[in-house]
Amino acid sequence: GRFLSFAGHVIKRRLIDYFRKEKRHNGVVPISAFSKDSEEVDLTIGSSVEKYSIEQTNESRRQEIELIKSELSKWGISFFDLADVSPKHKKTKEIYRNIINHILSQPALLSAIKTKKYLPVGDIEKNTGIPRKKIERARKYIIAVLVIMTGDYSHIQYYIDDGIKRPGGVLE
């Protein structure tokens, strides 16, 4: 009686080990799955070049995200912070867009933000008429958008709202 329960445990453990080992091959599709009725698979140069181009674009995006992450860390901002403070409502997005466009249209203000590493809420409030509380609530979001829009992040800039001006300067 003991041998059968022992053998059952050994077989069960070996099956679990086997399935764990083979788990890494779950996403792999054999090339024969692409052929229909024993026809040859058409692997063209065009599809290879396209795939390579997509991989290079993805790699560029990944590198840009890493650069943005390091730049934002200098400001004390993380991606988790941005997720919390990003505007959800259309009106709030419009207010933040106006603030960002105002800053981008004022080179002296943008330069002050770059060098002093802070957002001059009083100046922005005075010039835009937007309440201090709204500006302060959006501080991290505004800085992140300014870093992206004034930096060399062409892939990431694509995802920023179209209502924001795209200057050529670099924010350091």
Side-chain angles (χ1 to χ4, degrees), residues 2-3 15 21-22 32 36 47-48 50 54 62 71 77-78 86 91 94 99 111-112 117-118 128-129 143 147 151 170:
R2 290 186 179 196
F3 176 75
L15 285 173
K21 183 178 133 191
E22 293 299 315
S32 61
K36 296 178 182 177
S47 66
S48 298
E50 182 180 332
I54 291 170
R62 189 191 65 72
E71 179 68 28
I77 301 171
S78 72
S86 293
K91 264 182 132 175
E94 184 65 33
I99 295 169
S111 175
K117 297 267 190 220
Y118 81 96
T128 62
I143 290 170
V147 166
V170 175

Side-chain angles (χ1 to χ4, degrees), residues 1-2 24 33 36 50 60-61 71 75 77 83 90 96 103 118-119 127-128 149 152 155 161 164-165:
R2 290 186 179 196
R24 66 181 168 175
K36 296 178 182 177
E50 182 180 332
S60 296
R61 282 189 191 117
E71 179 68 28
W75 293 80
I77 301 171
K90 191 174 185 177
Y96 292 178
I103 294 170
Y118 81 96
L119 194 65
N127 293 328
T128 62
M149 295 307 295
D152 187 25
H155 293 292
D161 189 8
I164 296 175
K165 300 172 188 170

Side-chain angles (χ1 to χ4, degrees), residues 109-121:
L109 184 59
L110 186 60
S111 175
I113 292 170
K114 285 192 310 188
T115 57
K116 297 178 182 176
K117 297 267 190 220
Y118 81 96
L119 194 65
V121 177

Side-chain angles (χ1 to χ4, degrees), residues 17 32 46 61 67 86 93 95-96 100 132 137 152 160:
D17 290 343
S32 61
R61 282 189 191 117
L67 289 172
S86 293
K93 288 180 185 180
I95 291 169
Y96 292 178
I100 293 165
R132 180 179 211 76
R137 227 182 270 145
D152 187 25
I160 302 292

